[in-house]
Amino acid sequence: QTVVTQEPSLTVSPGGTVTLTCASSTGAVTSSYYPNWFQQKPGQAPRTLIYSTSNKHSWTPVRFAGSLLGGKAALTLSGVQPEDEAEYYCLLYYGGAQLLFGGGTKLTVL
Amino acid sequence: EVQLVESGGGLVQPGGSLRLSCAASGFTFSNNAMSWVRQAPGKGLEWVSAISGSGGSKHYADSVKGRFTMSRDNSKNTMYLQMNSLRVEDSAVYYCAKSTGSESFYKVDYWGQGTLVTVSS
């Protein structure tokens, strides 16, 4: 059974930089997995930040950047703001329209 | 403005059925693949199913295959999820999500606010 793994929790100071990663049990994540990244705050629906590894939507703040890093998909937040405290999920595509979410990373801004 | 509004959630007994709807507006509905994603209370997101813009391609997670059926009516700008043989573990908030193209299931942009399904006796 394929598993997508994210850090369960991370803490960052305001103004700092943090990188969240997304790994696949099948091996290295490549652009063919079309990684998506989503932000979810308590009681709210998810909001899409990144699609296809590094592409931003019109509403995605500039401080969010997607990439591939060491065989994983990565989401880097630079100049973290208090409002960035949230749960972050990655989504990977395995072909045949099979999609898997990671377990999520709870980001604390402290 | 893109809007996705889910409805049809509620309380149902194990083994029962429920049909969820997702009403879309603000874009040309038939041009976009759509997905259902669920989230059990206090848990993470789980992709459930996806359908192409034409409705000709449908895909399901193994956990719901054979029990859930996704469909869409492009004349009504509405997508559906027929859920049969419901189990306690199907209890979740169900979100509909829009993709950026007719077959690009893996490029999600907009989400609805979700509808709660509770399976309990």
Side-chain angles (χ1 to χ4, degrees), chain B:
Chain B
E1 178 193 5
V2 171
Q3 285 199 324
L4 301 171
V5 180
E6 302 92 337
S7 61
L11 175 64
V12 62
Q13 291 188 338
S17 298
L18 213 53
R19 189 177 84 153
L20 305 183
S21 299
C22 173
S25 60
F27 63 101
T28 305
F29 185 63
S30 60
N31 286 352
N32 298 90
M34 301 290 292
S35 296
W36 286 100
V37 175
R38 68 185 180 184
Q39 186 170 35
K43 302 296 184 181
L45 300 173
E46 180 187 10
W47 174 77
V48 173
S49 61
I51 188 168
S52 63
S54 67
S57 298
K58 303 173 191 179
H59 305 274
Y60 301 92
D62 288 344
S63 58
V64 306
K65 204 171 290 185
R67 300 188 299 122
F68 289 11
T69 302
M70 199 172 176
S71 61
R72 63 191 297 161
D73 185 337
N74 286 344
S75 68
K76 295 183 178 179
N77 288 353
T78 302
M79 169 178 78
Y80 305 98
L81 185 67
Q82 178 65 44
M83 304 186 296
N84 297 331
S85 303
L86 282 162
R87 305 167 180 168
V88 171
E89 56 265 33
D90 294 320
S91 297
V93 174
Y94 283 72
Y95 296 101
C96 68
K98 168 186 168 293
S99 291
T100 60
S102 63
E103 298 282 344
S104 54
F105 307 102
Y106 42 83
K107 296 181 184 178
V108 175
D109 49 13
Y110 292 91
W111 295 72
Q113 286 303 304
T115 186
L116 177 63
V117 172
T118 303
V119 184
S120 174
S121 54

Side-chain angles (χ1 to χ4, degrees), chain A residues 36-58:
Chain A
N36 285 250
W37 288 94
F38 308 95
Q39 178 192 65
Q40 188 179 34
K41 296 182 179 180
Q44 295 184 15
R47 180 175 76 138
T48 306
L49 296 173
I50 300 287
Y51 66 95
S52 297
T53 305
S54 59
N55 294 279
K56 300 181 185 182
H57 290 289
S58 57

Side-chain angles (χ1 to χ4, degrees), chain A residues 1-109:
Chain A
Q1 184 178 351
T2 303
V3 177
V4 178
T5 302
Q6 299 181 242
E7 297 86 1
S9 63
L10 291 170
T11 300
V12 61
S13 300
T17 297
V18 65
T19 297
L20 290 64
T21 66
C22 176
S24 173
S25 62
T26 59
V29 175
T30 67
S31 58
S32 299
Y33 286 77
Y34 299 97
N36 285 250
W37 288 94
F38 308 95
Q39 178 192 65
Q40 188 179 34
K41 296 182 179 180
Q44 295 184 15
R47 180 175 76 138
T48 306
L49 296 173
I50 300 287
Y51 66 95
S52 297
T53 305
S54 59
N55 294 279
K56 300 181 185 182
H57 290 289
S58 57
W59 55 80
T60 305
V62 172
R63 61 184 180 275
F64 290 86
S67 65
L68 295 175
L69 197 63
K72 301 177 184 180
L75 177 69
T76 300
L77 288 71
S78 305
V80 171
Q81 302 296 307
E83 60 265 28
D84 296 334
E85 183 162 296
E87 192 87 21
Y88 291 84
Y89 294 93
C90 66
L91 176 67
L92 299 180
Y93 173 66
Y94 286 87
Q98 292 299 308
L99 297 151
L100 280 177
F101 282 95
T105 296
K106 182 177 174 61
L107 182 66
T108 301
V109 181

